[in-house]
Amino acid sequence: MAKIPVQFRLNGSDRAAFVGPSDNLLTLLRRGLNDFGPKYGCGQGTCGTCTVLVDGDLQLSCLTLAATCEGKHVETVSGMAEGPVLHPLQQAFMDHFAAQCGFCTPGMLTAAKALLAANPNPTRAEVIDGISGNICRCTGYDAIIEAILAAARGGQAKRTY
Amino acid sequence: MLEFRKDLFAAERDDNLNIVGKGAQRQDMPGHVTGRSPFFDDHAFEGLLHLKVVRSPHHHARIRAIDTTAAERAPGVKRILRGADVPLNKNTLLSLINFGKDDEPTLAVSKVSYKGEPVVAIIAETEQQALAARALVRVDYDVLPHVFDVEEALKPGAPVVNETYPNNYFEYHDRYDHSKLRFGDVDRAFATADFIVDDRYQMSPIEHAPTETNGSIAAPEQNDRFVVHSCAQGLFFSLGTAAKILKLESNRLHFIGGTVGGGFGGKVDSLTEPLSILGAMMTGQPVRYVLDREEEMLYGSPRGAERIYIKDGILRDGRIVARRIRSYFDAGAYTRLSSYAAIKCTAHLPGPYTIPNVSADIYVAYTNRCPSTAMRGFGITAVDFALEVHMDKGAEACGMDPMEFRILNAYRDEDMKAHRRVAKNTALIECVQVVAEKAGWPLSDEARRQSSLTGGGGARALIPATPIDDNGRIGRPETRTGPATETLPAGAMRIPMTKQPIMEGSAEARPTPAAVPQYEPYRPTPASMPPAYQPMPAAPPPAMPPTAATAPPPAAAPAPAPAQPTQHGAVRFSSVFGTRRR
């Protein structure tokens, strides 16, 4: 099957790859470009752990065809910190113990980042709605919600979005 | 928020705590929030191959023929594995601690015993190629009758699920079809009871559904070793299992793991590691075998379903005088950890209560369902649910408040438990009191005054005379029910060596155990303290002349048996399980 060339920005860097017409973005990121931030949890868009931002929009990378990312900017959890300096959301997740096994965390952080970009001062209900596409099977939702609310209150959040 | 009650168990607690009650950052948290925590699948390998298995579409079928010729010629296919390629194609997980017989193949050869059982493994350059080739494998099945119900499976004439255990039950101590607990005489006690509460509880299998599915990547390493990135919850358990199945010295396997994307018990079975490593051995390349979500939900082993029957005999004042339990643990098609779950269940009975007469028979039954495994308190959680629902029904039967009914029957420090260990650090009474307080549930003053620290021991520490029976003894016809064959005298800690019912050897003519380690006999404190069964209702209960069934036998403390030498190490497991392999 003929491969398709695709060029896009990944966390601020230009990347290029050849993909099959049915290859999804998650496989390209993980197996093609060695970005292991987004995880495979279900492959059918129900768990949210593969969540990435494509041109700022929340996308499930397991349901996104890699070839459609031509010319776009893909952001994953791997690009959230600026060097050794954690993103305020990452710091809030640490401060509030908002991870147990850590497997849903990349998707949770990405969903939270998109939420705060659109709504810098969400209510608790809006936070719950914002992460409703992400499953935490360790059921640590409360700490995650607290962490996102704290990051929003921290005010620094606005600057980086 | 965590609350420390200084008024409870102050003498037993060290308040000079460095970590408990204080916030401490987890060392893996920076990795989690930056997406850098190394889960098993987060490793790049040049030339990574992908393994997918062909699974049985039938619950129970004989395999007549397997044709892989078309799959072998499919694009990208590097290697196809069948049962004959697995060096030791039969294993049971707990064989590493000498418990149970090898009963489960890595790849089925002659028959499949559950829907989804792996039959053939395909290794290809891409996942899509492996999946395409999987569709080309032709397996010719002869469908057999199946059985899904634990009690149906134990009936004569039921389909044989697992040829290693041809009667569809796990064999305890090589001699019994169930795990037994006997303490006192329940039949006599039931005759004295004012109320009998009898019920049946049925659980469902529960899938752990971890966000990260089961999987592993194995790759040839230098010096003829293999590196294995594994999701295993018990990394060295998985290493030992893989070494056994592959007939490798364990030092040729380099397992890396410990970062587990949710396990909850569903990642102790080594579902993928042996085949990944075998694939790497056969191809000389890195091999990745990951369950997809559908496989995880359908064929990742669940919490085993249990069917539990409980019968309680209760006096008018609320004291439970007898409890009989019969439970069936659904192992699915193979043992895995169910045999151990049933032992935990037996040891946990009759729950956190002091009941003078207890009898329990716990079966592990094989059915044509997905093999079940560990999950968060397995063996205990389901029976606790049943026991606590039953406690509510018991309280209702005798017209008592359910909280006070629990406090009345709760175990206390120094009480003798049904499995003949002395209760220590008990706290059920305090838990009920705190729960009642938080819930605004009114308790009587007398109930509020009770304490786990006092009132136990004395007569409650005595071991009653206990009728024992041969019911369920393997190889004897009609042994499912029957009268007691003998009565152990009061104070007997265990069946004396000379009366071990099966010292003549097991069904498979394995060597008999050389010695059964004995525990230090417990010497109860002299019964000078008054019996501490303090009835809870404000009104004094009707005077109850002690009978042989309701009160422990009046016999004084028995002469202590001569202390037996205690054994340590691996043999201790065989003492728990009563059997020793090879």
Side-chain angles (χ1 to χ4, degrees):
Chain A
M1 222 179 296
K3 295 277 188 181
I4 303 164
V6 55
Q7 290 187 56
F8 60 99
R9 278 159 72 73
L10 174 61
N11 296 324
S13 303
D14 289 327
R15 307 301 291 264
F18 286 96
V19 299
S22 65
D23 286 357
N24 64 48
L25 177 60
L26 178 64
T27 307
L28 170 64
L29 291 173
R30 291 179 58 82
R31 290 288 154 211
L33 301 172
N34 292 348
D35 181 351
F36 293 111
K39 310 292 181 197
Y40 167 90
C42 68
Q44 56 192 30
T46 51
C47 77
T49 193
C50 70
T51 302
V52 298
L53 299 179
V54 178
D55 282 350
D57 288 338
L58 220 47
Q59 295 274 342
L60 295 164
S61 62
C62 75
L63 296 184
T64 304
L65 289 174
T68 65
C69 295
E70 176 67 33
K72 298 193 171 164
H73 187 195
V74 176
E75 292 169 84
T76 71
V77 69
S78 314
M80 261 179 102
E82 286 189 33
V85 181
L86 292 180
H87 188 281
L89 271 166
Q90 291 173 314
Q91 189 61 51
F93 268 54
M94 283 192 70
D95 294 345
H96 289 79
F97 305 97
Q100 286 185 54
C101 80
F103 202 76
C104 74
T105 313
M108 287 287 183
L109 282 166
T110 310
K113 187 175 162 182
L115 169 72
L116 295 195
N119 179 3
N121 291 300
T123 63
R124 190 179 172 87
E126 285 165 342
V127 169
I128 291 171
D129 189 56
I131 59 166
S132 61
N134 297 70
I135 291 174
C136 167
R137 184 59 177 147
C138 308
T139 63
Y141 293 106
D142 238 41
I144 294 168
I145 294 163
E146 288 304 322
I148 296 170
L149 286 170
R153 280 195 303 270
Q156 311 161 47
K158 257 184 228 164
R159 181 173 56 79
T160 41
Y161 302 127
Chain B
M1 200 53 212
L2 209 57
E3 178 199 359
F4 285 96
R5 291 280 296 265
K6 301 285 182 187
D7 54 324
L8 300 176
F9 306 107
E12 291 188 23
R13 200 181 52 235
D14 183 0
D15 279 340
N16 183 23
L17 301 172
N18 296 318
I19 296 294
V20 175
K22 302 182 171 73
Q25 191 51 269
R26 294 165 45 147
Q27 64 172 20
D28 55 0
M29 199 57 113
H32 286 352
V33 300
T34 53
R36 292 197 188 107
S37 291
F39 295 94
F40 81 87
D41 201 23
D42 298 342
H43 298 275
F45 284 95
E46 195 55 40
L48 182 65
L49 302 177
H50 300 266
L51 186 150
K52 292 282 171 190
V53 298
V54 177
R55 295 180 181 274
S56 161
H58 303 295
H59 301 292
H60 197 196
R62 201 151 295 289
I63 298 174
R64 274 208 295 253
I66 300 173
D67 180 3
T68 58
T69 45
E72 279 158 25
R73 287 195 297 265
V77 171
K78 300 288 270 192
R79 174 87 201 199
I80 289 184
L81 304 175
R82 294 167 60 156
D85 298 312
V86 182
L88 182 64
N89 195 25
K90 206 163 237 197
N91 179 49
T92 193
L93 291 171
L94 293 178
S95 61
L96 297 183
I97 54 169
N98 289 331
F99 183 37
K101 297 183 249 186
D102 289 339
D103 67 345
E104 181 170 7
T106 300
L107 291 170
V109 176
S110 55
K111 78 167 218 179
V112 288
S113 293
Y114 68 96
K115 187 175 175 180
E117 182 164 357
V119 182
V120 171
I122 304 208
I123 301 168
E125 288 170 9
T126 69
E127 271 186 279
Q128 284 89 340
Q129 287 169 336
L131 290 169
R134 182 166 78 170
L136 300 174
V137 173
R138 294 278 166 267
V139 184
D140 189 7
Y141 291 104
D142 209 355
V143 176
L144 299 169
H146 56 250
V147 59
F148 291 149
D149 183 275
V150 282
E151 288 181 272
E152 294 295 321
L154 296 182
K155 286 183 180 161
V160 176
V161 172
N162 177 336
E163 268 68 13
T164 307
Y165 296 103
N167 297 304
N168 290 342
Y169 49 71
F170 182 80
E171 297 170 8
Y172 279 98
H173 303 222
D174 286 339
R175 74 189 82 126
Y176 280 116
D177 64 9
H178 62 271
S179 182
K180 256 183 200 305
L181 177 68
R182 294 290 184 273
F183 185 76
D185 188 339
V186 287
D187 286 320
R188 286 180 66 178
F190 281 134
T192 69
D194 296 307
F195 309 103
I196 299 289
V197 181
D198 204 349
D199 225 322
R200 170 191 189 270
Y201 301 87
Q202 176 66 50
M203 310 299 160
S204 297
I206 301 171
E207 164 57 33
H208 315 75
T211 323
E212 173 200 66
T213 58
N214 268 276
S216 56
I217 300 177
E221 209 180 33
Q222 73 280 14
N223 302 332
D224 207 19
R225 301 203 324 162
F226 298 91
V227 65
V228 185
H229 294 282
S230 163
C231 73
Q233 284 179 259
L235 199 67
F236 290 89
F237 188 27
S238 187
L239 190 156
T241 298
K244 179 187 168 189
I245 290 173
L246 300 170
K247 292 190 177 174
L248 289 177
E249 295 82 13
S250 56
N251 63 9
R252 290 185 58 199
L253 296 176
H254 175 195
F255 268 59
I256 299 173
T259 304
V260 180
F264 321 115
K267 288 176 179 166
V268 297
D269 285 2
S270 297
L271 291 174
T272 65
E273 288 81 354
L275 282 179
S276 299
I277 301 164
L278 184 61
M281 291 167 72
M282 295 289 201
T283 61
Q285 281 178 256
V287 171
R288 170 179 176 266
Y289 174 20
V290 181
L291 302 193
D292 63 29
R293 177 53 55 187
E294 183 182 357
E295 287 177 301
E296 181 74 36
M297 299 303 277
L298 291 174
Y299 315 126
S301 33
R303 178 197 288 281
E306 284 167 72
R307 177 170 304 161
I308 301 160
Y309 294 89
I310 308 177
K311 179 180 176 183
D312 278 359
I314 306 172
L315 299 183
R316 195 161 285 114
D317 66 10
R319 287 179 293 168
I320 305 172
V321 288
R323 173 167 283 177
R324 171 177 281 152
I325 291 156
R326 191 159 45 95
S327 174
Y328 301 87
F329 202 96
D330 188 350
Y334 299 107
T335 309
R336 300 214 183 153
L337 302 173
S338 295
S339 50
Y340 165 65
I343 288 181
K344 278 168 73 183
C345 177
T346 314
H348 180 64
L349 296 172
Y353 303 103
T354 292
I355 298 175
N357 301 281
V358 178
S359 167
D361 291 345
I362 314 296
Y363 296 79
V364 170
Y366 297 100
T367 65
N368 293 108
R369 305 214 284 186
C370 184
S372 50
T373 189
M375 185 175 188
R376 311 192 74 166
F378 67 128
I380 305 290
T381 3
V383 78
D384 261 345
F385 167 77
L387 287 174
E388 292 309 319
V389 173
H390 208 72
M391 288 300 286
D392 285 347
K393 290 175 182 168
E396 198 175 314
C398 63
M400 260 185 94
D401 177 277
M403 296 276 207
E404 304 220 356
F405 183 64
R406 284 175 171 82
I407 290 177
L408 172 63
N409 287 290
Y411 63 175
R412 298 172 186 231
D413 281 3
E414 301 302 321
D415 282 358
M416 178 57 70
K417 294 195 276 191
H419 56 283
R420 292 162 175 74
R421 290 293 187 101
V422 179
K424 289 180 184 138
N425 300 317
T426 60
L428 176 63
I429 291 172
E430 286 71 18
C431 285
V432 174
Q433 288 164 340
V434 170
V435 167
E437 182 190 316
K438 299 254 181 222
W441 187 279
L443 285 183
S444 68
D445 288 344
E446 182 148 22
R448 273 202 296 272
R449 272 200 303 275
Q450 300 307 310
S451 163
S452 294
L453 301 172
T454 58
R460 292 161 62 110
L462 298 176
I463 297 172
T466 301
I468 58 170
D469 57 63
D470 261 359
N471 300 347
R473 187 150 154 208
I474 292 167
R476 305 289 167 92
E478 298 307 310
T479 58
R480 284 287 159 77
T481 57
T485 51
E486 64 174 309
T487 297
L488 292 176
M493 290 297 286
R494 58 179 301 135
I495 303 171
M497 287 268 302
T498 51
K499 292 193 181 148
Q500 289 279 338
I502 190 164
M503 294 306 284
E504 69 262 27
S506 67
E508 287 196 330
R510 286 193 209 106
T512 49
V516 180
Q518 306 234 340
Y519 296 115
E520 191 73 15
Y522 173 70
R523 295 176 189 85
T525 46
S528 56
M529 276 184 274
Y533 237 111
Q534 294 153 346
M536 211 51 51
M544 190 70 62
T547 66
T550 55
Q564 300 289 321
T566 313
Q567 296 187 44
H568 297 282
V571 182
R572 279 187 64 188
F573 290 117
S574 63
S575 76
V576 173
F577 302 134
T579 181
R580 187 161 158 76
R581 292 172 74 257
R582 287 181 277 280

